[in-house]
């Protein structure tokens, strides 16, 4: 058993598991991607991809109504010391890799303060994954009924012998 999905959210061609997999809540990143205050919406990027350089950061621009030229202008104006910018689109995922010189303090500033899109929207990037990293996506089912904090602790403990856990999501 379980609850049936709301009819208006599932088309005849979309399985319930596919709908749920698109709406996921991170256990590791408590902001769960979007933090809103009365005036500002802050989005945390979670692009787990290797970069073309050691000091690259990835920024998720999906859903932002911004042309490529406008995006480049924001980067140039806010982070003039960047070395390069490379945009990508994979399906609905629009993201960019921004590279900085070794030791550039603006990279850390970018990781902390993000890119101000307008007066009400900020996107925080994440560091690119190291080129020698081996990323593995796993999907677990039939997890025990535990509080999220207990489940996360158990996952960290169980998976730690295989490497670092960079994200863990549950359907939201």
């Amino acid at each position: 058993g379980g609850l049936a999905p709301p009819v208006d959210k599932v088309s005849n061609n979309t399985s319930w598991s596919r709908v749920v997999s698109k709406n996921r809540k991170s256990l590791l990143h408590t902001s769960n991607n979007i933090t809103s205050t009365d005036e500002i919406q802050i989005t945390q990027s979670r692009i787990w991809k290797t970069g073309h350089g050691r000091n690259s950061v990835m920024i998720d621009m999906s859903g932002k109504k911004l042309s490529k030229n406008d995006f480049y202008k924001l980067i140039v104006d806010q982070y003039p010391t960047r070395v390069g910018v490379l945009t990508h689109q994979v399906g609905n995922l629009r993201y960019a890799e921004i590279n900085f010189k070794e030791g550039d303090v603006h990279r850390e500033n970018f990781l902390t303060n993000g890119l101000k899109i307008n007066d009400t929207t900020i996107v925080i990037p994440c560091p690119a994954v190291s080129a020698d990293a081996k990323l593995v996506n796993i999907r677990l089912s039939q997890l025990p009924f535990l509080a999220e904090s207990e489940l996360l602790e158990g996952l960290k403990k169980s998976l730690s012998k295989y490497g670092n856990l960079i994200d863990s999501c549950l359907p939201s």
Side-chain angles (χ1 to χ4, degrees), residues 1 3 14 23 32 88 127 134 157:
L3 297 176
T14 306
N23 300 310
N32 194 38
H88 304 274
K134 293 180 179 154
K157 186 176 179 182

Side-chain angles (χ1 to χ4, degrees), residues 29-54:
H29 306 282
T30 56
S31 68
N32 194 38
N33 202 31
I34 298 175
T35 304
S36 294
T37 65
D38 291 338
E39 298 133 15
I40 299 175
Q41 180 182 39
I42 301 170
T43 306
Q44 175 67 53
S45 300
R46 290 198 188 89
I47 308 289
W48 312 125
K49 304 236 180 238
T50 57
H52 288 82
R54 274 179 24 142

Side-chain angles (χ1 to χ4, degrees), residues 35-77:
T35 304
S36 294
T37 65
D38 291 338
E39 298 133 15
I40 299 175
Q41 180 182 39
I42 301 170
T43 306
Q44 175 67 53
S45 300
R46 290 198 188 89
I47 308 289
W48 312 125
K49 304 236 180 238
T50 57
H52 288 82
R54 274 179 24 142
N55 296 302
S56 288
V57 298
M58 302 291 183
I59 187 163
D60 188 350
M61 298 308 295
S62 302
K64 306 293 181 269
K65 295 180 181 181
L66 195 63
S67 72
K68 214 183 248 191
N69 286 338
D70 290 340
F71 171 73
Y72 285 138
K73 181 162 178 27
L74 289 172
I75 291 291
V76 167
D77 291 347

Side-chain angles (χ1 to χ4, degrees), residues 134-136 138 155-165:
K134 293 180 179 154
L135 296 179
V136 177
I138 60 171
L155 288 172
K156 283 181 179 178
K157 186 176 179 182
S158 300
L159 298 173
S160 66
K161 60 182 162 187
Y162 302 105
N164 296 322
L165 182 64

